[in-house]
Amino acid sequence: MSAITVAKKDFADAARSRKLMGLTAVFALFTLGGAFLASWAGDLFAELEGEGAESTLDLVFALQTPAGYLVPIIALVIGYAAIAGERESGSLKFLLGLPHTRRDVVIGKILGRSAVVAVSILVGFLVGLIGLFVFVGSVSIVDYLLFTVVTILFGFVYVCIAVGLSSMTGSTTRAAAGAFGLIVFFWFIWSFLAMGLLYLVEGSLWMDDHPDWYVSLLSLSPDAAYGSAIAAVFGEGQFTIATAYGVENPPLLAEPWFGFVVLAVWALVPLGIGLWQFGRADL
Amino acid sequence: MTTINISNATKRYGTETALDGLDLSVRRGEIYGFLGPNGAGKSTTINLILDFIRPTAGEVSVFGLDAREDTLEIRTRTGILPEGVETYDRLTGRKHVEFAIESKGADDDPDELLERVGIADSADKKAGGYSKGMTQRLMFATALVGEPDLLILDEPSTGLDPNGAREMREIIREENARGATVFFSSHILGQVEAICDRVGILRKGELVAEDTVDGLRDSMPEQTRLRVQVDRIPEDSSAALEAIESVDGVSEVSADGTTLVVTCEDRAKTTVLRTIEEQGVSIEDFATDESSLEDLFMAYTADDRTEVTQ
């Protein structure tokens, strides 16, 4: 109950942030652009192959890219100062002076900031949906909603990472550096390291069949897991790493449903460490 | 009955000792003034009571409950005004009070509380635009939520003008009359003297004095400082000074030209003056000044600039 009280207040506070409004606007622009590109590409294919407007899945595919990049940024920007910022400013003493446990505060922050990120995603996707209606004409609302739900889940995972980081330190600078470092790590370093490892093991980067461990490793980042989870929901392989590498029988870790497990681990591990650190910290 | 009981509490940060074996108890229903210069360890003590930090050694209990294990119950029954607290800039004053009411499961009227601390007019303004004094009043209002059994106020008059500080003292008295125990810290004696039943003076992480305000006053011998102007310096000045020093009740004598400063007990005054005249000089003028509680406070806390600040 206490966590809900904290979450409600936190939502009211964070939802009034200008940063959030700006990020949401950028996100909406990108979904709109994605919708436009999807319809443009669809028309192109229609001319070439004589087919009509493409399925909603293709549209989802077009929107997954902006969402995959922007949702983590929104969640990290919204979440990185959740705890560290209050420790720095001193408002945490007001919060903890009231009868809330430290755990309540962290859980409340995650719920509050997740709700904020969810609103941002909903606004962005609503604009995207309008765009799809305008540019394409017809969209499967159910598929679109499923996609939205999985994306909100993805946002939730990054909020857990951000708030987890934020609870580990009393400095927003360090929390921000951690959040920024994670983005760089997942986007660039992860696949770079995997490639280096591939070269070390196989002696080459170019091969017809990539080894299972390589496909598994690449599937373990939260961003890849997001694709896997979408694939699992739609029963379509086209969003997964395995498909990208042409693997027909993906290893367990690269299975679409396993994306949910990966997402859960990415949410819980930073959160667990954050809770432990914050629980024993001198404020 | 003790409300706060701290026994042998030590807090170290690395090699710095912020608190050193502090023993302190606050009785139920009293107003306890926690005095000391900045950096003496007052906030460290309060942070221990609130479980914001954990002691390196020692025990802290509030309402007979363990400050660490039962911190939630303690904070349900306590109203807190932390030092240097910040508001949520984007939320209104009323929202802050409403949040405190909901958090405590109380049923106060937020407007009544805001009225009481004198910022009802600004209830709907965002707290980010509040002055320091208004912020302090707002935080005080949230501390009053739910008629707490204990009020912990860390430097409550920060940012308040004298009038605001007086109004706050008035509310503290009302709360105490209702039955609340009040623990409040200050680095200014005047804030505490007027209102406290008992006073503890903290210096370098140790309690150097603890008594009622009157008790502290009584504990000082009635020292008087006599400033005596004589017409000339006697031939054997050191013998003259020795003669004055040997008077019963005199603790210090110093001379600067023809001005003598004699610190002595009240009763010794006449003897001192007579002894001076016996040295063959005549007194042209003299003045006395009584030492105040402020002097005592200064004496206890002076030379504290190299303190551990946290």
Side-chain angles (χ1 to χ4, degrees):
Chain A
M1 238 349 264
S2 181
I4 301 288
T5 306
V6 174
K8 279 196 299 185
K9 182 214 59 76
D10 195 54
F11 178 79
D13 185 30
R16 287 175 169 80
S17 138
R18 293 227 171 82
K19 262 188 301 194
L20 174 72
M21 294 172 197
L23 283 169
T24 305
V26 171
F27 184 49
L29 267 177
F30 272 80
T31 55
L32 203 61
F36 177 73
L37 277 178
S39 79
W40 176 73
D43 290 344
L44 214 61
F45 282 122
E47 270 175 39
L48 289 173
E49 299 170 16
E51 284 175 24
E54 59 299 308
S55 68
T56 308
L57 283 189
D58 294 320
L59 300 175
V60 165
F61 195 60
L63 288 184
Q64 189 212 339
T65 309
Y69 280 106
L70 283 171
V71 167
I73 292 182
I74 294 174
L76 289 172
V77 168
I78 294 305
Y80 83 93
I83 304 281
E86 290 217 21
R87 260 172 91 171
E88 232 168 45
S89 79
S91 56
L92 191 66
K93 289 191 171 175
F94 169 63
L95 199 53
L96 281 175
L98 294 165
H100 304 292
T101 62
R102 294 187 187 191
R103 176 184 296 265
D104 287 335
V105 168
V106 174
I107 303 293
K109 286 280 178 187
I110 284 178
L111 295 178
R113 305 277 153 138
S114 294
V116 169
V117 170
V119 166
S120 178
I121 291 172
L122 285 172
V123 169
F125 277 10
L126 188 68
V127 171
L129 185 65
I130 295 168
L132 287 177
F133 272 120
V134 171
F135 301 133
V136 183
S138 73
V139 184
S140 158
I141 297 289
V142 175
D143 283 353
Y144 198 77
L145 276 179
L146 277 174
F147 174 51
T148 307
V149 169
V150 177
T151 304
I152 289 176
L153 177 73
F154 180 53
F156 172 74
V157 170
Y158 264 97
V159 169
C160 288
I161 292 174
V163 175
L165 278 173
S166 197
S167 342
M168 289 177 208
T169 167
S171 138
T172 48
T173 316
R174 253 177 286 165
F180 181 72
L182 267 185
I183 295 248
V184 172
F185 182 73
F186 287 141
W187 286 359
F188 306 109
I189 299 177
W190 187 289
S191 52
F192 185 75
L193 285 179
M195 272 203 283
L197 210 57
L198 183 69
Y199 187 77
L200 277 180
V201 175
E202 304 286 330
S204 163
L205 288 177
W206 310 105
M207 56 197 72
D208 291 335
D209 292 314
H210 287 80
D212 278 0
W213 68 260
Y214 181 67
V215 176
S216 299
L217 187 60
L218 287 183
S219 303
L220 290 183
S221 79
D223 306 73
Y226 171 51
S228 301
I230 293 173
V233 167
F234 290 115
E236 281 278 337
Q238 82 188 102
F239 304 99
T240 63
I241 293 288
T243 306
Y245 283 89
V247 179
E248 298 229 340
N249 293 310
L252 172 73
L253 301 187
E255 287 262 13
W257 67 267
F258 199 80
F260 284 107
V261 178
V262 174
L263 286 177
V265 170
W266 276 116
L268 293 178
V269 169
L271 180 56
I273 300 172
L275 274 174
W276 176 72
Q277 276 275 17
F278 185 53
R280 58 195 274 278
D282 278 346
L283 303 177
Chain B
M1 272 300 284
T2 56
T3 293
I4 298 175
N5 193 38
I6 298 175
S7 66
N8 201 24
T10 296
K11 179 65 185 174
R12 286 192 202 94
Y13 294 94
T15 55
E16 307 264 35
T17 302
L19 271 189
D20 193 6
L22 178 71
D23 287 301
L24 187 147
S25 67
V26 176
R27 297 172 196 145
R28 201 169 103 185
E30 75 175 342
I31 303 182
Y32 188 97
F34 196 38
L35 270 172
N38 291 326
K42 300 191 303 286
S43 288
T44 303
T45 308
I46 287 177
N47 287 340
L48 281 177
I49 296 170
L50 301 177
D51 191 42
F52 289 166
I53 61 175
R54 282 67 188 259
T56 311
E59 303 281 324
V60 180
S61 74
V62 183
F63 308 126
L65 301 164
D66 184 79
R68 291 211 53 182
E69 298 300 317
D70 308 306
T71 177
L72 214 54
E73 155 133 39
I74 291 169
R75 281 181 281 144
T76 307
R77 296 170 58 187
T78 306
I80 297 157
L81 176 57
E83 193 199 8
V85 70
E86 278 286 324
T87 53
Y88 296 97
D89 290 354
R90 294 186 286 255
L91 300 181
T92 64
R94 185 187 283 108
K95 272 261 176 283
H96 281 81
V97 181
E98 281 170 355
F99 174 65
I101 292 171
E102 187 178 344
S103 297
K104 285 198 157 182
D107 57 359
D108 297 78
D109 175 359
D111 291 313
E112 224 167 81
L113 285 167
L114 288 166
E115 176 76 54
R116 201 166 163 207
V117 298
I119 53 168
D121 294 346
S122 309
D124 292 313
K125 291 202 185 105
K126 289 186 178 175
Y130 280 19
S131 69
K132 252 191 127 75
M134 286 162 78
T135 301
Q136 198 69 3
R137 286 165 189 257
L138 172 60
M139 288 293 119
F140 189 44
T142 64
L144 297 175
V145 165
E147 302 212 326
D149 297 331
L150 170 65
L151 275 173
I152 294 180
L153 314 170
D154 198 355
E155 299 278 356
S157 55
T158 307
L160 294 178
D161 54 31
N163 206 31
R166 195 182 45 75
E167 283 169 29
M168 187 176 269
R169 279 201 296 274
E170 201 43 55
I171 298 176
I172 292 173
R173 274 201 198 92
E174 287 164 20
E175 288 294 300
N176 182 244
R178 168 179 69 72
T181 306
V182 182
F183 180 77
F184 100 78
S185 83
S186 181
H187 65 285
I188 302 164
L189 180 77
Q191 302 285 348
V192 167
E193 198 177 9
I195 191 176
C196 289
D197 300 313
R198 281 201 309 147
V199 174
I201 298 177
L202 195 69
R203 179 175 186 256
K204 296 192 178 178
E206 287 176 80
L207 204 60
V208 289
E210 187 184 52
D211 207 335
T212 60
V213 174
D214 287 340
L216 279 182
R217 225 176 238 129
D218 291 346
S219 74
M220 300 176 65
E222 288 288 314
Q223 293 276 334
T224 300
R225 208 176 295 139
L226 272 175
R227 207 175 292 274
V228 186
Q229 187 73 43
V230 293
D231 62 342
R232 61 184 179 87
I233 300 170
E235 276 142 45
D236 191 354
S237 61
S238 59
L241 286 177
E242 249 170 61
I244 301 166
E245 242 162 33
S246 65
V247 172
D248 184 34
V250 170
S251 50
E252 208 186 329
V253 182
S254 64
D256 178 17
T258 54
T259 305
L260 276 169
V261 177
V262 183
T263 310
C264 63
E265 284 172 35
D266 222 19
R267 61 180 169 81
K269 263 195 306 205
T270 352
T271 326
V272 168
L273 292 176
R274 205 173 54 229
T275 313
I276 292 173
E277 286 186 318
E278 282 167 6
Q279 306 309 312
V281 297
S282 45
I283 294 172
E284 293 188 327
D285 194 12
F286 81 93
T288 62
D289 40 67
E290 309 275 328
S291 64
S292 67
L293 202 55
E294 192 71 37
D295 289 333
L296 176 79
F297 178 56
M298 294 302 285
Y300 274 125
T301 59
D303 187 30
D304 248 325
R305 305 217 178 261
T306 55
E307 270 310 277
V308 180
T309 36
Q310 197 270 101

